[in-house]
Amino acid sequence: MKPGRRDTRRLRVQIGVLMLVQFVGMMSGTIIATALPGITREIDGTTLHYTWMFVTTALASTVTTPLWGRLGDVFDAKTVLQWSLGFYTAGALLCGLAPTADLLIAARVIQGVGIGGHIALTQTLAARLVVPRARAQVNGVMGLSQIVATISGPVVGALLVGIPGIGWRLCFLIGVPVALVAAVIVQIVMPKALAVVKGSVDYVGAALLVIGLTGLLGWISFVGKQLAPLSFASIALVVASAGVLAAAAAWEWRAKEPIIPLRALAGRASALAALASCAVGVSMFGGTIFVTQYLQLGRGASALAAGVLLMPMAVATFIAAVLVGRMSTRSGRLRRYLLLGTGLLVAGNAGLIPLTTTTPLWWVVAATCAVGAGLGMTVTNLILVAQNATRLRDVGAVSGAIIFCRTFGSTAGLAVFGAIVAAYVPSQAAVNVAAAPGLYSQAASTVFLVATAVSAIAATAVACLPRIGLRSTADLEPYRPVDQA
């Protein structure tokens, strides 16, 4: 057998392992998408608990993603990935054993810390294995783990939650053996990814980022319900969080090995990719969490039916990711597909604005498919734009920074959307049964109005990207216009 064929087979196995790790993290979110209403009822949760079961996980993954990315640069990225799997396993086990909604939310924080590592380190290791031009196609293939988790998660969650007493707990416990298997396979087949940066981790910068972002995202989640917008506590929290984030930015700019390399993100391509990722992130959970909530509580669909109706969206995400990956690798161009993807995001979210209790289900499915296709074309490819403009020594930190922007957008979006729903439906017990479907429909309509406006920001940022060709070298070389690449 030729050495080239052996290398290709080895690379396929390694990419498959990264897909498994991605699947573990993605499944933890999608499996409870259809189960959340049942979980909330069984443990006497409120509308706020419903939202925070997602928000806390997203918040924890958001604030830790940059740290995991830099840890992958400074230490062996393979070992760091196994650490993140350990955090995930512990969190999933605690979630499955939690007796109350508050303890479940606390356990979801630990799980979110592990997911932050999955997100950052799979992209870091992929960047070490494949050059950017070929990585466009690899990203499309790696989207298979997302499609499988997105399709199977809601259906499996709907089936498990129907088991009396223990069903919803299995939605979390099922991830424990999968994560353990993934950790073992990573140890066997992944190469040792030695550090590419000599130095220590910027723990001061990491602490400042965690404190500032936690305060800001907490304010976004509680303002208008627990906190009055102009109250002293609200203003103090915003000012304090902004001050800590300003201090973090000043520290990171001067740090020798920063958690978020601001200088590397100062370039036009990286800065615009970060802005677009933040805006795209807002749409990531709208199509699953709030469409599911609309279908179940606004239309009376069962958990299983809601999961089945989300399948076309997941298929659209995968098909779009694979096609764009192949075409980008072949042509070396990416901007045109990002433009198409953000355009589909705007159109899909706009299509969900007129939701009512009588909206045809085919219309809902078509709109969610447009959102799914847009996500498939943009989510990983915006990371690739920044990686293409970054030195190899900073690729982990920059990847983590772009993913951080995306998860920040998704977390902020979840918090804002959850606040919108809570404003329409303060609690299920306080709303007349006959009026509840209409209120949930109105809430969903407002959610997607906001998502449409934010998606337009992503489209504008992508339109301003320079026309740079994807390079075919492992490390950064001087830029050339795409026509000369």
Side-chain angles (χ1 to χ4, degrees), residues 178-236:
V178 178
L180 292 175
V181 170
V184 172
I185 298 177
V186 165
Q187 177 64 33
I188 295 173
V189 305
M190 288 299 297
K192 189 173 183 179
L194 296 177
V196 294
V197 174
K198 292 183 179 180
S200 59
V201 178
D202 178 20
Y203 293 108
V204 173
L208 291 172
L209 283 171
V210 169
I211 294 170
L213 289 171
T214 301
L216 181 60
L217 290 172
W219 175 81
I220 292 173
S221 302
F222 288 114
V223 69
K225 190 171 178 66
Q226 278 75 22
L227 286 175
L230 298 180
S231 67
F232 174 79
S234 182
I235 294 173

Side-chain angles (χ1 to χ4, degrees), residues 14-59:
Q14 292 163 350
I15 295 300
V17 173
L18 297 181
M19 291 169 62
L20 178 61
V21 176
Q22 282 189 334
F23 174 82
V24 170
M26 179 66 68
M27 189 75 166
S28 68
T30 59
I31 197 171
I32 67 170
T34 52
L36 269 181
I39 294 174
T40 306
R41 284 193 300 269
E42 286 200 30
I43 57 178
D44 297 324
T46 64
T47 304
L48 189 62
H49 284 130
Y50 183 103
T51 301
W52 269 85
M53 286 178 197
F54 265 96
V55 170
T56 49
T57 304
L59 174 61

Side-chain angles (χ1 to χ4, degrees), residues 64-321:
T64 58
T65 294
L67 177 60
W68 285 115
R70 180 51 82 182
L71 287 171
D73 287 335
V74 176
F75 301 107
D76 171 24
K78 168 185 171 180
T79 302
V80 178
L81 178 59
Q82 290 174 312
W83 295 349
S84 74
L85 285 166
F87 273 96
Y88 172 87
T89 303
L93 186 60
L94 291 173
C95 285
L97 300 176
T100 66
D102 291 332
L103 290 176
L104 174 58
I105 289 171
R108 290 280 287 171
V109 173
I110 300 173
Q111 195 176 30
V113 171
I115 293 173
H118 299 178
I119 296 171
L121 293 162
T122 51
Q123 290 294 327
T124 298
L125 287 167
R128 306 273 180 86
L129 295 171
V130 188
V131 298
R133 183 157 180 169
R135 203 179 308 141
Q137 185 170 352
V138 169
N139 284 342
V141 174
M142 288 178 68
L144 179 60
S145 61
Q146 180 178 351
I147 183 68
V148 173
T150 306
I151 288 177
S152 62
V155 177
V156 172
L159 293 173
L160 291 178
V161 80
I163 302 175
I166 196 175
W168 69 266
R169 298 184 184 277
L170 293 177
C171 293
F172 301 105
L173 295 176
I174 196 173
V176 173
V178 178
L180 292 175
V181 170
V184 172
I185 298 177
V186 165
Q187 177 64 33
I188 295 173
V189 305
M190 288 299 297
K192 189 173 183 179
L194 296 177
V196 294
V197 174
K198 292 183 179 180
S200 59
V201 178
D202 178 20
Y203 293 108
V204 173
L208 291 172
L209 283 171
V210 169
I211 294 170
L213 289 171
T214 301
L216 181 60
L217 290 172
W219 175 81
I220 292 173
S221 302
F222 288 114
V223 69
K225 190 171 178 66
Q226 278 75 22
L227 286 175
L230 298 180
S231 67
F232 174 79
S234 182
I235 294 173
L237 182 57
V238 171
V239 171
S241 300
V244 173
L245 288 176
W251 179 276
E252 292 295 274
W253 187 265
R254 295 181 177 86
K256 184 177 180 181
E257 299 296 345
I259 293 295
I260 298 180
L262 296 179
R263 296 181 187 277
L265 291 173
R268 179 181 171 189
S270 297
L272 288 171
L275 175 60
S277 292
C278 186
V280 167
V282 173
S283 296
M284 283 197 65
F285 294 114
T288 52
I289 304 304
F290 294 96
V291 169
T292 298
Q293 191 178 51
Y294 159 75
L295 290 171
Q296 291 185 251
L297 304 177
R299 298 294 294 268
S302 66
L304 182 59
V308 171
L309 288 171
L310 288 179
M311 285 187 179
M313 175 185 175
V315 173
T317 302
F318 175 64
I319 292 175

